[in-house]
């Protein structure tokens, strides 16, 4: 689980590097790579925060879409 969390941080760093490369070079390919990396970070980061960190959106919970009390 900690490894997956590290992957999310690594992808965030990659997205930041792609954005920086695009701002320095202004190429179309850098723009596309920056957008793809940013979208991956947004999707996985949001999922990680909602489901794994906060425990929300749990279908089998007693409370509809919320986590059970611990």
């Amino acid at each position: 689980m900690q490894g997956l969390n590290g992957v999310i941080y690594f992808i965030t760093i990659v997205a930041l590097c792609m954005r920086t490369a695009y701002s320095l070079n202004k190429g179309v390919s850098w723009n596309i790579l920056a957008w793809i990396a940013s979208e991956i970070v947004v999707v996985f980061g949001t999922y990680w925060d909602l489901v794994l960190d906060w425990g929300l959106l749990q279908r089998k919970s007693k409370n509809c879409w919320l986590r059970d009390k611990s």
Side-chain angles (χ1 to χ4, degrees), residues 6-27:
V7 169
I8 291 175
Y9 285 110
F10 177 73
I11 294 171
T12 303
I13 293 169
V14 169
L16 178 65
C17 291
M18 294 291 174
R19 286 273 182 213
T20 303
Y22 169 67
S23 68
L24 293 174
N25 297 326
K26 299 289 184 192

Side-chain angles (χ1 to χ4, degrees), residues 38-62:
S38 297
E39 291 296 321
I40 290 171
V41 168
V42 167
V43 169
F44 285 122
T46 302
Y47 174 80
W48 188 275
D49 287 342
L50 290 177
V51 176
L52 299 176
D53 284 345
W54 297 347
L56 300 176
L57 304 176
Q58 302 296 321
R59 288 185 180 173
K60 297 180 181 180
S61 174
K62 289 186 281 185

